[in-house]
Amino acid sequence: MTLPMTPALLGSENPTADFSQDNGWVVLGKALAVFVFLVVTTLVMIWAERRVVGRMQSRPGPNRTGPFGLLQSLADGVKLALKEDILPSAVDKAVFVLAPIISATTCFLAFAVVPFGPAARIPFTDIRTPLQLTDLNVAVLYVLAIAAVGVYGIVLAGWSSGSTYPLLGGVRSSAQVISYEIAMGLALISVFLYAGSMSTSSIVDAQAHGATVTLGGFDLQLPSWNAFVLLPAFVIYCISMVGETNRAPFDLPEAEGELVGGFHTEYSSLKFALFFLAEYVNMVTVSAIATTLFLGGWRAPWPLSLWAGANAGWWPILWFVLKLWVFLFVFIWLRGTLPRLRYDQFMRFGWKVLIPGALIWVVAASAMRVLRTSGDLSGAQRWGLVGGLAVIVIGLLAVYETNQRREAALEDARHEVVPDTVDPFEGGYPVPPLPGQTVVRTAGPTAVAGDAEQTRRAVTVGVANETHSEEVRGG
């Protein structure tokens, strides 16, 4: 039997944005505006990345093409378009051409549910429309689904190239996205619990005002952004979105030192440009989702929020873009400072740290939500929930620590015991000693010809050349 939903619950699950005045031209204009915004942001992002990383490495960035090198990204795009389009003979032509199209189109589709601002009047018209292309009851799930489909472009590119290195890059990407999308999805569960909706516009509205706590007779307004209220989920999402976009230090599907160029090794000209565009648009998309779900979306930060008109009209677009660029700068910062991880370290971190941590946080956030919303619980029941949650968390941490110690013991057992003394000529071929070993020479150039007793020399190999001792026997 299905129970009827209360009006409050039904209203919380539906999007709060009103698109009733949107006609075909308005929808088309919004779609064009989103496309132009993403392309222009990508061009500026490429320029900013090269300038900032150049500054970090004490070298100049692009500074010749246009003022301050601003036209360098556009020049690079024209160069890619005019390059020869090479199609290797071993590729599957249909899939080879389709793969970059899949990657490029899906990253634009994911931006359709991102709100730029509240309802505003279109200039020179009487139409009021939300500054958002569309919204859904399950908008965040739509974004995750589109991101999962975008991986097919990378996997198909590696498979259709007919080469080993692109295939390895495609397989790496599929494993990487599966691993880090699980942690990302688990991190978003607490956002759904606290907002009571999966609609992006409803989640933004849920962060409009924080809870009020009375302390010493004064009412204190707690932070309203989910980045503060749900800090563990915010940290897990930020790490997962770097792995999701294949960016340093998680750029393993295209590791130049290991896989030449990864899944796009065999691509050139416009096909390579589509992959290049998809990577940067994906960065903008995941940054926009992080802004929407954790930083209050288009709402002005404090103290700008004290201004009565800060969250009205077209001003919210400015606050949204500023928050967006905070995340984009972090992407650049990570690339300029952190080295690439080994693949085993990367996968171990995802499966043994992020996913267990996200599961523990989901349990904790669910318990806190129950304590916060259930006013009919007695004091004993509340303390029982808190105690049970603490036991679960401590038990999981104990299991994790025991597992880590067991793996460390197995790793130590695998290490071969190094003897204290070694004869480098024992097998007839000179073998260099390890640091700390004592070399006992019974043959080779140290033996003195004509001696009645064979010469033996013992040399202890140290870290520095001057820290060694030599002993002559039978001389």
Side-chain angles (χ1 to χ4, degrees), residues 436-461:
Q437 284 185 330
T438 300
V439 179
V440 180
R441 300 179 181 177
T442 59
T446 59
V448 180
D451 283 351
E453 185 179 352
Q454 193 176 29
T455 303
R456 298 190 58 172
R457 296 178 182 270
V459 179
T460 301
V461 180

Side-chain angles (χ1 to χ4, degrees), residues 54-416:
R55 180 73 173 178
M56 290 179 176
Q57 298 174 350
S58 299
R59 60 177 177 81
N63 56 5
R64 292 290 185 272
T65 309
F68 306 104
L70 284 171
L71 299 180
Q72 185 63 53
S73 300
L74 185 61
D76 291 341
V78 174
K79 179 190 71 174
L80 282 175
L82 298 179
K83 287 175 70 72
E84 181 182 2
D85 189 7
I86 300 174
L87 193 67
S89 58
V91 304
D92 187 314
K93 294 184 180 179
V95 181
F96 189 79
V97 174
L98 184 62
I101 298 176
I102 294 175
S103 293
T105 53
T106 53
C107 61
F108 284 97
L109 292 175
F111 219 87
V113 296
V114 175
F116 286 80
R121 188 179 65 85
I122 300 178
F124 311 110
T125 66
D126 295 329
I127 299 176
R128 287 185 60 84
T129 179
L131 300 179
Q132 181 179 2
L133 182 56
T134 187
D135 199 5
L136 305 169
N137 293 340
V138 288
V140 181
L141 294 185
Y142 163 80
V143 174
L144 294 177
I146 290 296
V149 173
V151 182
Y152 281 95
I154 297 176
V155 176
L156 293 177
W159 175 82
S160 64
S161 295
S163 179
T164 303
Y165 287 135
L167 179 61
L168 289 176
V171 172
R172 278 188 173 188
S173 178
S174 60
Q176 175 172 333
V177 171
I178 290 172
S179 303
Y180 280 75
E181 271 197 351
I182 294 174
M184 179 182 291
L186 291 173
L188 299 182
I189 291 177
S190 57
V191 177
F192 305 153
L193 289 174
Y194 274 73
S197 175
M198 295 183 186
S199 163
T200 50
S201 57
S202 298
I203 292 174
V204 171
D205 289 342
Q207 301 176 72
H209 304 286
T212 303
V213 176
T214 303
L215 185 63
F218 296 96
D219 292 336
L220 300 179
Q221 193 77 20
L222 296 180
S224 58
W225 289 359
N226 289 331
F228 301 106
V229 179
L230 308 173
L231 180 60
F234 177 62
V235 173
I236 293 172
Y237 178 87
C238 289
I239 297 174
S240 300
M241 76 178 186
V242 179
E244 178 81 9
T245 53
N246 300 332
R247 288 283 299 182
F250 301 150
D251 54 338
L252 297 167
E254 50 185 276
E256 294 86 353
E258 306 168 23
L259 303 175
V260 182
F263 59 90
H264 53 61
T265 300
E266 304 293 346
Y267 283 87
S268 60
S269 189
L270 282 178
K271 297 185 184 66
F272 175 78
L274 289 178
F275 279 121
F276 197 72
L277 175 67
E279 176 181 335
Y280 281 87
V281 174
N282 277 328
M283 292 166 55
V284 179
T285 301
V286 296
S287 300
I289 295 298
T291 300
T292 302
L293 302 185
F294 293 99
L295 296 187
W298 44 264
R299 295 189 175 275
W302 188 89
L304 294 174
S305 58
L306 301 178
W307 172 35
N311 294 322
W314 295 84
W315 283 106
I317 295 180
L318 177 60
W319 320 138
F320 178 83
V321 172
L322 291 177
K323 295 177 186 178
L324 177 70
W325 271 99
V326 171
F327 287 102
L328 295 179
F329 176 77
V330 172
F331 274 108
I332 300 173
W333 192 2
L334 292 176
R335 179 176 180 179
T337 54
L338 293 182
R340 181 183 295 122
L341 273 70
R342 291 201 321 262
Y343 191 70
D344 61 318
Q345 294 174 334
F346 175 67
M347 296 303 290
R348 185 185 301 113
F349 179 74
W351 283 99
K352 293 188 176 182
V353 178
L354 275 188
I355 293 178
L359 286 172
I360 293 174
W361 171 246
V362 168
V363 175
S366 302
M368 290 188 296
R369 185 63 175 170
V370 170
L371 293 174
R372 183 177 176 182
T373 57
S374 299
D376 55 346
L377 291 179
S378 63
Q381 290 174 330
R382 291 176 181 271
W383 282 110
L385 282 175
V386 174
L389 176 63
V391 169
I392 292 175
V393 171
I394 293 173
L396 292 175
L397 292 177
V399 171
Y400 177 75
E401 182 65 23
T402 303
N403 185 51
Q404 290 295 101
R405 290 182 180 179
R406 185 183 299 112
E407 289 188 356
L410 291 176
E411 188 69 22
D412 293 339
R414 292 193 196 100
H415 292 166
E416 186 177 348

